Amino acid sequence: SFCCFQSKPGEVENAVKEAINLGYRHIDTAAAYLNEGEVGAAIREKIQDGTVKREELYVVTKVENEFLMFLLVCVRSQNVV
């Protein structure tokens, strides 16, 4: 598992690309890390260049409880639940 926690901005994309080159297939990230854009860009590039197929990757992300509560309030306000 390759974890993106506490990676510096501007370094995450290259780190994820290198991890995929080395054989990592489980990428662990989270919205709170504020680097999901770089992670996604790295994954996109490695898929496009043929290094890996999307179905070979396990990308795990996490969201904050506050965000989940916000979604619940939005859903309930629409009388969906």
Side-chain angles (χ1 to χ4, degrees):
S1 174
F2 180 78
C3 181
C4 302
F5 181 60
Q6 293 185 335
S7 297
K8 295 178 183 175
E11 295 179 359
V12 177
E13 186 173 344
N14 286 332
V16 172
K17 286 191 278 190
E18 188 59 25
I20 292 171
N21 288 338
L22 292 171
Y24 284 89
R25 296 298 181 259
H26 178 236
I27 309 296
D28 179 39
T29 187
Y33 302 168
L34 303 176
N35 59 20
E36 289 181 310
E38 288 186 64
V39 173
I43 290 170
R44 183 182 321 109
E45 183 177 320
K46 299 317 292 178
I47 290 170
Q48 288 176 345
D49 75 9
T51 301
V52 68
K53 295 179 182 177
R54 174 59 186 99
E55 56 268 17
E56 296 172 337
L57 295 174
Y58 299 91
V59 181
V60 178
T61 192
K62 298 160 279 302
V63 294
E64 299 293 325
N65 285 334
E66 291 81 12
F67 181 73
L68 294 175
M69 290 304 296
F70 171 76
L71 288 177
L72 181 60
V73 168
C74 290
V75 168
R76 285 188 176 166
S77 71
Q78 299 295 316
N79 295 319
V80 176
V81 175

